[in-house]
Amino acid sequence: QLPEPGAEAADCLRRLLLVVAATKRDRKLDNKFVELLETVLYLPKAPQQIQVLCAAILREMSPSNKLTLSCHEIQETKLLSTVCSILLAQGNKKAAASAVGQRVIKLLEGRLPEGENSRHLLPLLSQVISVFPASLTEDQTNVVNKRMVDWLRYASVQQGVAQPSGGFFSTPRARQPGPVTEVDGSIATDFFTVLSVGQHYTEDQWLNMQAFSMLRKWLLCYGGEGTGSPNSDDRSEVEGSVMSMVSATSTSSRLLPPKERLREKAFEYCQRLVEQSNRRALRKPDGDLQKACLIEAVTIMDIICRQDSSYVYRTLSCLKILHGRISRDLTYARTLLPIAQFFLNHSETAAVDSEAVYKHLFTRIPAQLFHSPMLAFEFIQFCRDNLKVFTENFSIFRQSFPNLFKFLAWNSPSLILEFMDLLPALLDPDTAIEMLHLLLDLPCLAAALDLAWGTALVDRLAPLRQLLGSVANSPRVIQCAETVPVLLQLFFNTAFADKLLINQLVLVLLERSDQLCELPAFKADVHRVLSSQLLLLCRLHPSLVVELSKELLEFSGTVGNIQNKEDVYTYVVWAIGEYMSVSYDKRCTVEQINRFFEALEAMLFEITQLRPAASGPPSSPRVITVLMTTLTKLASRSQDLIPRVSLFLTKMRAFVQHPATASVYSEQDSEEILTRASELTNLLKMPSVAQFMLTPMAEAAGAWSQRDAHAALPATMKMVSRLMEQGAGFVPG
């Protein structure tokens, strides 16, 4: 039975709502009970709380074939709103939106029954536009255009009357309500807008505010030529001229077609909001509303200008004055974005230079307001939406990337995807080196901003990295650090064709590999990325090994680099063995090969030297095998060195079998070192074969051999070594 209204009925319905919401795949409500829930919606005396709960249960059941609701004959706007919310939750949203749209337009066309109002209809219309804009015909959109003109432009300027509460002392006063005021307290002398202030509002004033709230969506959908989508951003402009502007202003407003008349009244409404924003609000909420309405007004003016370019010149003058007034006030920072968007869209049509607008936007705003999440998202989205225009026409965009990265440092998790789109566009040969430094120092920047909100601590050297220690566990710093490897990978995925730039990048990799924030996981991840990218850069430009021989020699000859950044060191040694050859660069000399050999020989001796007090070898088997392989490659290209490396390789068995080594290395590690030493020793017994096998021609290197990722030995070399071991009697002495 239908439960009696009251607290117990409401409690039962809440429990049922929870059950239905949690078991959407197994709805077993009886058809009769569903009919009772629908019936409650139509009972005029049913408590509102009960009706709301019944409607919520029916929405949770959707899509369902048990529902028999229809909106065709409903006259009560509040009931229509409730029923339509259920219909729009059904599976066939387009059909439901079409039916709802037709009913809303029907009610707007005629005179509503006494006691009904249109306030419940506009939210429904907004939903219809979102779901299925094509459901309205041109005649139907003209009905709405006419009504919106009336709501926007001709709402009462007198305050509403307070509704009596029903108490003994609630007799309404005979005094007439006064006029609405501006936000500064002065009496309004122009038409009513959403920024007009009153203690109570009339019905048409509420409709004015509702109409403005959906105006942008309506214009995007139906304000241009043909029916569009409220989410589409059609930037086409109707050809206009000074003559068309004069014609538009001189024509009687009431003779315009409904679409053009709404456009005109919407423009006047937005101009009025711009004027009202110049007033000093007496209350903070009114001031916040001022800024929000100003953003919306500028956005709507931009839409109108894209649909009819005769409005561009009027809007341009208005926004120039507005920009000059608010540009120094950081509380209006979000408003600068739609203003900049307008200039991007229309400065060419109006033949004005707007670069000063963008320069102010990209320099001051990110530097001082990086901590505002809403501004950060809107700013980066603005850059993303206009990426092509900025990269092709405005140098200030790329020059401002350090400021943009403050947004990322402060808001890392929420902006990482947006920056993955921005980073390739920000990157060019002029910014690459500085951007790489900035990426590596991003956690430091986050720490600096975290420690000193609003200050200019952007020093990226040692003091700042030490400063990080006190905030190393800060969630902001940790989250920021987690984004760096992803962005570094994206940074290097951008094609670098300039050889000089590649050399500079390699030097930065070597320099910064031990100058990172003291976050262990961060350092490990960054070293992994830098190592793999060093390998790719060397393959892209093998001559860099010869061109940077001095720097690489210094790096590879430092024991501390093995201990602190083993991954990077290993790949540097691999690159030396692979590309220090005349096959890749004719400038390679025997003297250079000998210098590298002596430095690496000393390093291998240092890390394999068995000292009585030593607790064990400091380096992994991987480093040792790569060093052995690289020394063998260098010796094959300067064959006077072959006896030295052969002697060294024969000592590796004693090193591996020493108790100090055996206590640290596993059996598999020891076997790996001995196997590689044996392979290299066998190969060096035939110097000419060794030279051929270990120094492939540059143009054939990628095709004829498959490289070992760790030691860079051709797979065929291992096969040759095994053949030599099997037939040692046939090997020449």
Side-chain angles (χ1 to χ4, degrees):
Q1 295 180 357
L2 182 66
E4 290 296 324
E8 186 177 355
D11 186 57
C12 291
L13 289 172
R14 283 194 202 94
R15 294 185 182 186
L16 178 60
L17 174 60
L18 181 62
V19 171
V20 173
T23 58
K24 290 191 175 189
R25 294 185 179 179
D26 187 25
R27 303 184 187 89
K28 295 182 178 178
L29 291 181
D30 183 80
N31 288 349
K32 182 63 176 176
F33 185 76
V34 173
E35 290 178 13
L36 291 174
L37 291 175
E38 293 180 351
T39 302
V40 173
L41 302 180
Y42 293 89
L43 295 178
K45 294 184 179 181
Q48 183 178 1
Q49 182 186 27
I50 300 295
Q51 289 182 319
V52 168
L53 286 168
C54 290
I57 293 170
L58 293 172
R59 276 195 301 272
E60 285 297 330
M61 290 176 57
S62 302
S64 172
N65 56 8
K66 298 179 180 180
L67 299 180
T68 60
L69 292 172
S70 171
C71 63
H72 293 304
E73 302 299 327
I74 298 178
Q75 293 290 327
E76 299 85 354
T77 57
K78 189 174 180 181
L79 174 59
L80 180 66
S81 176
T82 302
V83 171
C84 289
S85 69
I86 300 170
L87 294 176
L88 289 171
Q90 291 296 307
N92 191 352
K93 289 191 175 184
K94 286 189 175 182
S98 180
V100 172
Q102 304 304 314
R103 189 58 191 161
V104 169
I105 298 298
K106 188 72 174 175
L107 291 175
L108 288 175
E109 278 181 314
R111 190 177 187 87
L112 291 173
E114 186 176 353
E116 298 297 324
N117 61 67
S118 302
R119 284 171 59 184
H120 297 289
L121 299 180
L122 289 187
L124 285 178
L125 191 59
S126 181
Q127 282 184 281
V128 169
I129 296 172
S130 299
V131 174
F132 190 32
S135 62
L136 301 185
T137 66
E138 184 176 356
D139 289 340
Q140 290 172 329
T141 60
N142 283 336
V143 170
V144 180
N145 287 335
K146 292 174 183 178
R147 297 304 298 269
M148 289 188 75
V149 166
D150 292 336
W151 293 328
L152 289 172
R153 190 61 178 83
Y154 302 111
S156 171
V157 291
Q158 295 294 313
Q159 295 189 45
V161 178
Q163 296 297 320
S165 60
F168 181 77
F169 298 101
S170 63
T171 304
R173 297 178 181 178
R175 184 166 58 90
Q176 293 294 321
V180 295
T181 64
E182 304 288 0
V183 291
D184 60 2
S186 62
I187 295 176
T189 58
D190 208 336
F191 61 90
F192 182 92
T193 73
V194 70
L195 287 179
S196 300
V197 180
Q199 288 188 332
H200 306 283
Y201 295 102
T202 63
E203 196 61 40
D204 61 348
Q205 289 168 352
W206 283 114
L207 287 168
N208 176 287
M209 292 183 265
Q210 279 188 318
F212 176 69
S213 71
M214 65 173 288
L215 182 57
R216 186 207 307 202
K217 182 186 288 188
W218 181 264
L219 289 175
L220 282 173
C221 192
Y222 301 110
E225 298 302 318
T227 300
S229 165
N231 298 320
S232 66
D233 197 8
D234 181 11
R235 303 198 176 193
S236 63
E237 294 183 350
V238 179
E239 289 298 325
S241 64
V242 176
M243 290 302 296
S244 64
M245 180 179 68
V246 173
S247 173
T249 55
S250 62
T251 303
S252 172
S253 174
R254 293 192 178 274
L255 296 180
L256 292 172
K259 183 190 296 184
E260 283 72 19
R261 188 153 185 256
L262 174 60
R263 194 180 290 155
E264 181 186 64
K265 296 308 176 185
F267 186 82
E268 292 174 0
Y269 194 102
C270 292
Q271 280 186 311
R272 168 103 165 98
L273 290 177
V274 171
E275 183 274 325
Q276 287 178 298
S277 71
N278 196 27
R279 299 175 181 268
R280 186 178 182 84
L282 298 180
R283 303 184 307 154
K284 186 180 183 301
D286 290 337
D288 296 338
L289 182 61
Q290 266 184 315
K291 297 177 179 66
C293 290
L294 190 56
I295 293 171
E296 189 72 3
V298 175
T299 304
I300 291 172
M301 293 170 85
D302 180 37
I303 294 169
I304 291 172
C305 290
R306 295 205 304 266
Q307 294 172 348
D308 185 349
S309 61
S310 66
Y311 286 91
V312 170
Y313 299 95
R314 278 181 277 177
T315 309
L316 188 65
S317 174
C318 173
L319 294 189
K320 274 187 175 181
I321 296 171
L322 177 63
H323 184 269
R325 175 167 63 83
I326 69 174
S327 59
R328 296 182 182 277
D329 187 348
L330 290 177
T331 62
Y332 281 93
R334 290 179 58 209
T335 310
L336 297 176
L337 294 174
I339 292 177
Q341 186 66 65
F342 174 86
F343 281 103
L344 278 176
N345 292 341
H346 307 290
S347 58
E348 186 175 346
T349 303
V352 294
D353 183 9
S354 54
E355 191 156 359
V357 174
Y358 315 132
K359 185 174 182 180
H360 174 270
L361 186 69
F362 280 105
T363 51
R364 190 179 179 201
I365 302 305
Q368 299 187 34
L369 296 175
F370 56 86
H371 49 77
S372 169
M374 179 65 76
L375 176 65
F377 176 77
E378 291 179 351
F379 199 106
I380 298 304
Q381 196 64 42
F382 166 77
C383 295
R384 200 177 173 191
D385 292 342
N386 299 283
L387 209 51
K388 189 173 186 295
V389 178
F390 279 134
T391 53
E392 292 178 357
N393 300 291
F394 299 102
S395 59
I396 186 65
F397 176 62
R398 285 196 174 105
Q399 293 169 2
S400 302
F401 77 85
N403 273 337
L404 294 178
F405 271 74
K406 287 186 179 180
F407 282 136
L408 178 63
W410 191 265
N411 307 277
S412 297
S414 58
L415 293 182
I416 180 65
L417 293 178
E418 284 75 15
F419 265 87
M420 290 181 71
D421 289 337
L422 287 188
L423 192 142
L426 290 168
L427 194 55
D428 69 4
D430 295 329
T431 62
I433 299 301
E434 186 179 358
M435 187 178 293
L436 179 54
H437 279 291
L438 185 54
L439 284 172
L440 294 171
D441 282 324
L442 205 57
C444 293
L445 179 58
L449 298 177
D450 212 10
L451 287 170
W453 182 338
T455 65
L457 289 178
V458 292
D459 176 22
R460 297 186 300 251
L461 302 177
L464 186 55
R465 285 187 288 275
Q466 295 170 0
L467 185 66
L468 178 61
S470 61
V471 289
N473 294 322
S474 162
R476 176 166 286 111
V477 174
I478 293 173
Q479 290 174 339
C480 181
E482 290 172 350
T483 67
V484 174
V486 178
L487 294 175
L488 276 176
Q489 194 72 47
L490 183 62
F491 174 91
F492 285 107
N493 284 346
T494 304
F496 292 107
D498 184 83
K499 293 183 178 181
L500 179 60
L501 177 59
I502 291 177
N503 285 2
Q504 291 175 320
L505 290 173
V506 170
L507 291 178
V508 173
L509 295 187
L510 299 180
E511 172 193 351
R512 294 304 311 275
S513 57
D514 64 346
Q515 296 177 11
L516 298 170
C517 296
E518 292 301 324
L519 298 169
F522 168 74
K523 292 179 75 171
D525 289 341
V526 170
H527 281 165
R528 187 187 69 253
V529 175
L530 295 184
S531 300
S532 62
Q533 296 307 318
L534 176 66
L535 177 63
L536 294 177
L537 290 175
C538 289
R539 285 176 174 168
L540 187 65
H541 179 37
S543 295
L544 70 83
V545 176
V546 173
E547 294 168 356
L548 302 179
S549 59
K550 180 180 178 182
E551 292 82 1
L552 293 174
L553 184 63
E554 180 180 354
F555 183 89
S556 60
T558 304
V559 176
N561 289 335
I562 302 179
Q563 299 168 342
N564 299 328
K565 39 194 171 181
E566 183 179 293
D567 279 350
V568 179
Y569 183 86
T570 302
Y571 279 98
V572 168
V573 172
W574 177 91
I576 292 169
E578 184 74 1
Y579 300 115
M580 180 55 67
S581 167
V582 292
S583 298
Y584 289 100
D585 194 322
K586 299 298 182 184
R587 296 169 294 178
C588 177
T589 63
V590 174
E591 289 75 15
Q592 286 177 319
I593 293 174
N594 289 345
R595 282 197 295 271
F596 273 109
F597 182 91
E598 290 172 359
L600 297 180
E601 182 186 42
M603 292 294 289
L604 185 57
F605 176 78
E606 178 69 24
I607 65 177
T608 58
Q609 188 178 14
L610 296 171
R611 301 184 182 93
S615 59
S619 303
S620 70
R622 180 169 172 249
V623 175
I624 293 174
T625 56
V626 171
L627 277 168
M628 290 191 303
T629 303
T630 296
L631 287 171
T632 303
K633 289 181 177 182
L634 295 176
S636 70
R637 299 162 199 166
S638 177
Q639 298 193 356
D640 291 343
L641 302 173
I642 288 179
R644 289 170 60 176
V645 71
S646 297
L647 179 63
F648 208 118
L649 291 173
T650 59
K651 296 179 180 179
M652 296 308 297
R653 182 170 296 278
F655 163 72
V656 168
Q657 293 175 347
H658 192 278
T661 306
S663 65
V664 177
Y665 286 169
S666 66
E667 184 177 345
Q668 183 179 356
D669 293 336
S670 300
E671 184 64 27
E672 180 184 345
I673 294 173
L674 290 177
T675 300
R676 181 52 50 89
S678 175
E679 291 171 348
L680 295 173
T681 300
N682 286 335
L683 194 58
L684 287 175
K685 292 176 181 178
M686 298 185 295
S688 58
V689 175
Q691 184 176 17
F692 174 74
M693 295 296 297
L694 299 176
T695 312
M697 298 302 293
E699 61 271 14
W704 76 279
S705 64
Q706 180 182 352
R707 297 288 174 180
D708 183 311
H710 296 309
L713 282 175
T716 50
M717 193 217 75
K718 297 185 177 184
M719 180 183 68
V720 170
S721 179
R722 287 194 293 270
L723 290 173
M724 292 177 67
E725 290 173 349
Q726 294 170 4
F730 298 97
V731 177

